[in-house]
Amino acid sequence: MTSEAAIIRHSTPGQGTHALETSTELPLSGQSVFDFFANAENLQRITPPELAFRILTPTPSEIREGVLIDYRLRLFGVPFGWRTRITLWEPPFRFVDEQLRGPYRTWVHTHSFEASGASTVMTDRVEYSLRGQPVSHLVLPLVRHQLDRIFRYRSRVIREILRPGPQ
């Protein structure tokens, strides 16, 4: 695996569910990478600016299992709210956030951090389903394209922010 680009894979596990998985290798310890993600304010830093992402929940908030986080985003000029709950919290190895309210019918995002020599492989796996089944397959290519763009941006910015040495 290279630290130069995210590796993005799409799959369709079935029953209208889709999955995106991306991995990025970072030259830091798993604890350092996990600590970055444990700060909800960093989510705004790694989201493309055109999404106008804002955290509505007062920060800093201690992230732990059961925490609710509210966001505001804009996609194609249309603003919408998003609420997630942290449903699994296992520092420094993984955590899961699930959409309770937002644009998807379901959205379960697993963040995993695995040691790889002196580096950490950060893996995002998102399992999601779209609203409007069964015709939602018509917009699936657009959704996948948008998710690719967001997760490639995220990977690039994370590598810039978490590079070792003075910044």
Side-chain angles (χ1 to χ4, degrees):
M1 180 170 304
T2 176
S3 61
E4 294 306 310
I7 297 170
I8 297 179
R9 294 171 293 280
H10 290 276
S11 62
T12 302
Q15 302 296 334
T17 299
H18 308 281
L20 169 142
E21 188 169 297
T22 177
S23 298
T24 303
E25 187 171 341
L26 299 160
L28 296 168
S29 73
Q31 185 67 56
S32 297
V33 177
F34 190 92
D35 289 347
F36 177 81
F37 284 90
N39 180 347
E41 293 171 336
N42 285 327
L43 189 50
Q44 187 169 330
R45 295 173 67 190
I46 63 174
T47 301
E50 67 272 11
L51 294 179
F53 180 89
R54 268 188 322 129
I55 298 173
L56 302 177
T57 303
T59 56
S61 172
E62 178 189 349
I63 303 294
R64 64 185 184 293
E65 197 166 311
V67 164
L68 300 175
I69 305 172
D70 289 307
Y71 315 97
R72 190 89 179 139
L73 293 96
R74 186 176 295 272
L75 186 59
F76 303 119
V78 177
F80 61 92
W82 189 311
R83 171 176 271 186
T84 61
R85 172 178 291 147
I86 304 298
T87 57
L88 179 70
W89 187 253
E90 296 179 344
F93 306 107
R94 76 190 54 78
F95 69 94
V96 176
D97 63 85
E98 293 187 31
Q99 173 195 282
L100 298 179
R101 184 182 70 238
Y104 294 88
R105 187 163 55 91
T106 61
W107 175 277
V108 179
H109 185 173
T110 302
H111 311 253
S112 302
F113 309 90
E114 185 177 340
S116 176
S119 298
T120 298
V121 176
M122 176 198 73
T123 301
D124 288 296
R125 179 171 175 81
V126 178
E127 293 188 19
Y128 62 95
S129 60
L130 303 174
R131 297 186 187 279
Q133 298 287 348
V135 297
S136 61
H137 72 278
L138 298 172
V139 297
L140 181 60
L142 176 63
V143 169
R144 283 186 169 172
H145 174 74
Q146 190 71 355
L147 290 174
D148 277 358
R149 201 176 60 67
I150 291 167
F151 277 87
R152 286 187 197 290
Y153 177 91
R154 173 184 169 105
S155 176
R156 181 179 56 77
V157 171
I158 290 167
R159 285 191 321 273
E160 289 171 6
I161 293 170
L162 295 182
R163 69 178 174 259
Q167 296 185 22

